[in-house]
Amino acid sequence: GAVVSQHPSWVICKSGTSVKIECRSLDFQATTMFWYRQFPKQSLMLMATSNEGSKATYEQGVEKDKFLINHASLTLSTLTVTSAHPEDSSFYICSASRGSGVNSPLHFGNGTRLTVT
Amino acid sequence: QKEVEQNSGPLSVPEGAIASLNCTYSDRVSQSFFWYRQYSGKSPELIMSIYSNGDKEDGRFTAQLNKASQYVSLLIRDSQPSDSATYLCAFATGTASKLTFGTGTRLQVTL
């Protein structure tokens, strides 16, 4: 069964509004979660690493003030796309690992398809 | 140079045949390698993980890793139409499973 739950699965919003996406680890605690973005026909690109109890680590080129990440508990990370624009329309996917070692595979949520009109 | 390279395909194989998917990577310190399957509009799901040189088999899937040559491959035996999807290879270096993905190979299994 699913080990990572993501909500909502799709959202349509107007340009200039903000959208919050939730990512939950099911039956395990995740001190670290990852947020990816995937544009059509492209691969997954890591946006940021969400760290429980501390600031997220953003990849180069990702605006931290636009993509707000909060990891307030060991099972929940949220990504808020602020002042969304049509170019932010994409497939956002969170992931988490049961373990912390390099040999612990990532499990992905079902993704959130964001469409900004 | 791209960190992970995959042929985008589509790779078309008839039902029942063996599908061979290949991936090369540039980071010599990569430690863990993964194959994910992604259906259109869905998120990736883990198919195989491999950490040491050689073959690893799981059902109809066999992953092969050659660190000296910096490639990893995935063989799918007895291909089924339900195997039609995009296959992403990924590698991790260091802790916490921070993955770098290839662009994926689209596999089409024809009847």
Side-chain angles (χ1 to χ4, degrees):
Chain A
V3 297
V4 177
S5 173
Q6 190 171 339
H7 178 81
S9 56
W10 61 270
V11 59
I12 301 173
C13 71
K14 292 186 177 181
S15 185
T17 61
S18 296
V19 173
K20 179 185 285 188
I21 303 169
E22 293 186 347
C23 180
R24 295 181 184 275
S25 57
L26 306 178
D27 76 12
F28 72 98
Q29 295 179 334
T31 56
T32 304
M33 292 184 177
F34 301 90
W35 287 96
Y36 288 83
R37 177 169 57 181
Q38 185 178 36
F39 291 105
K41 299 190 184 302
Q42 295 186 25
S43 190
L44 282 76
M45 296 300 296
L46 180 65
M47 298 177 65
T49 302
S50 175
N51 304 298
E52 189 269 335
S54 64
K55 292 182 179 180
T57 305
Y58 291 82
E59 296 299 303
Q60 190 174 10
V62 178
E63 300 175 58
K64 60 180 174 64
D65 294 330
K66 181 173 182 61
F67 299 99
L68 301 179
I69 292 173
N70 184 283
H71 195 150
S73 78
L74 287 170
T75 59
L76 174 64
S77 174
T78 61
L79 168 68
T80 302
V81 183
T82 63
S83 186
H85 291 285
E87 58 265 30
D88 298 322
S89 299
S90 186
F91 192 43
Y92 293 84
I93 316 172
C94 72
S95 65
S97 173
R98 287 182 179 275
S100 60
V102 69
N103 292 345
S104 300
L106 275 183
H107 295 277
F108 288 87
N110 288 331
T112 298
R113 187 160 303 282
L114 170 64
T115 303
V116 184
T117 62
Chain B
Q1 181 184 4
K2 292 183 180 178
E3 292 183 279
V4 185
E5 297 219 25
Q6 292 183 258
N7 188 320
S8 62
L11 172 66
S12 185
V13 299
E15 183 178 8
I18 296 176
S20 177
L21 305 163
N22 300 307
C23 175
T24 59
Y25 60 94
S26 60
D27 188 350
R28 287 194 170 273
V29 299
S30 299
Q31 298 173 279
S32 306
F33 304 86
F34 306 90
W35 281 100
Y36 285 84
R37 178 176 62 196
Q38 186 175 27
Y39 292 111
S40 180
K42 303 294 184 182
S43 65
E45 56 180 319
L46 181 66
I47 297 295
M48 292 280 285
S49 59
I50 187 166
Y51 311 113
S52 55
N53 281 325
D55 295 359
K56 179 182 178 182
E57 186 174 320
D58 183 1
R60 295 187 297 113
F61 300 97
T62 299
Q64 300 173 318
L65 174 62
N66 185 321
K67 290 188 177 182
S69 300
Q70 295 177 249
Y71 84 79
V72 58
S73 63
L74 179 70
L75 300 177
I76 306 175
R77 289 180 298 281
D78 188 23
S79 296
Q80 302 296 308
S82 58
D83 295 326
S84 298
T86 296
Y87 289 81
L88 304 166
C89 76
F91 70 85
T93 305
T95 62
S97 303
K98 184 175 175 179
L99 293 182
T100 300
F101 282 89
T103 54
T105 298
R106 189 158 65 93
L107 173 66
Q108 291 179 335
V109 181
T110 58
L111 294 173

